[in-house]
Amino acid sequence: MEIKKVGVACDHAGYPLKKYVLMYLEEHGIEYKDYGTWSDASVDYPDFAHELAKGIESGEVYPGIAICGSGEGMAMTLNKHQAIRAGLAWCAEIAHMIRQHNDANVLVMPGRFIDNNTAGQIMDEFFKTTFEGGRHQKRIDKMAVQK
């Protein structure tokens, strides 16, 4: 995967894991833009998911990482955007598959259900895995809602 600048977003439940994600990115020399939130005070995850999606759509960042308690709220919100393919991964094997078969451009992690070590393994796999293309491309092409 070609990394431009990683966009990172979370809600209050994802904030503790986001701190680790930012440290991981810094340690690996990967630039990032932090779309918030910036504390564990209660917030609404869609506010931050939409900003991350806009950053990817505009080309400001690529790819993205999003974190909330279960990961589901962020994934659901992000996937409302036509250009976003957000995949929820709770282990490295899932991260591999969402990149290889689904060309995921946002990695979503469940902040309340994985530890820092697991998150590191997930990010390692997400960043190193390339999209396989072929039969998977035609499936990607069918994802957008046709008007």
Side-chain angles (χ1 to χ4, degrees):
M1 167 187 296
E2 185 177 332
I3 300 170
K4 179 177 181 175
K5 180 189 286 188
V6 176
V8 182
C10 72
D11 71 354
H12 55 281
Y15 180 70
L17 185 60
K18 185 183 87 166
K19 291 191 293 187
Y20 172 76
V21 167
L22 298 182
M23 184 181 74
Y24 170 100
L25 295 172
E26 289 170 4
E27 287 177 355
H28 286 81
I30 300 171
E31 283 189 80
Y32 64 85
K33 177 168 182 179
D34 186 348
Y35 289 92
T37 192
W38 299 276
S39 78
D40 59 3
S42 183
V43 294
D44 298 330
Y45 58 82
D47 297 337
F48 303 95
H50 288 307
E51 290 305 310
L52 172 58
K54 290 176 194 173
I56 292 169
E57 291 169 332
S58 72
E60 179 180 34
V61 296
Y62 184 90
I65 297 175
I67 312 157
C68 67
S70 69
E72 293 291 357
M74 280 287 195
M76 290 176 186
T77 304
L78 287 159
N79 283 318
K80 298 291 184 189
H81 292 258
Q82 290 294 302
I84 302 299
R85 290 176 307 282
L88 175 59
W90 58 92
C91 65
E93 294 82 4
I94 298 295
H96 181 88
M97 295 304 291
I98 66 173
R99 281 291 308 131
Q100 184 180 50
H101 288 188
N102 309 119
D103 198 19
N105 55 13
V106 181
L107 168 63
V108 183
M109 293 187 285
R112 289 185 174 146
F113 296 95
I114 62 171
D115 60 21
N116 291 350
N117 183 56
T118 301
Q121 293 170 358
I122 290 168
M123 289 185 287
D124 286 345
E125 197 64 31
F126 184 78
F127 290 135
K128 78 177 185 181
T129 303
T130 59
F131 177 51
E132 194 173 83
R135 71 185 192 278
H136 303 292
Q137 184 61 56
K138 74 175 185 174
R139 296 168 185 159
I140 300 301
D141 294 341
K142 292 180 178 181
M143 285 184 179
V145 175
Q146 303 300 313
K147 294 181 180 184

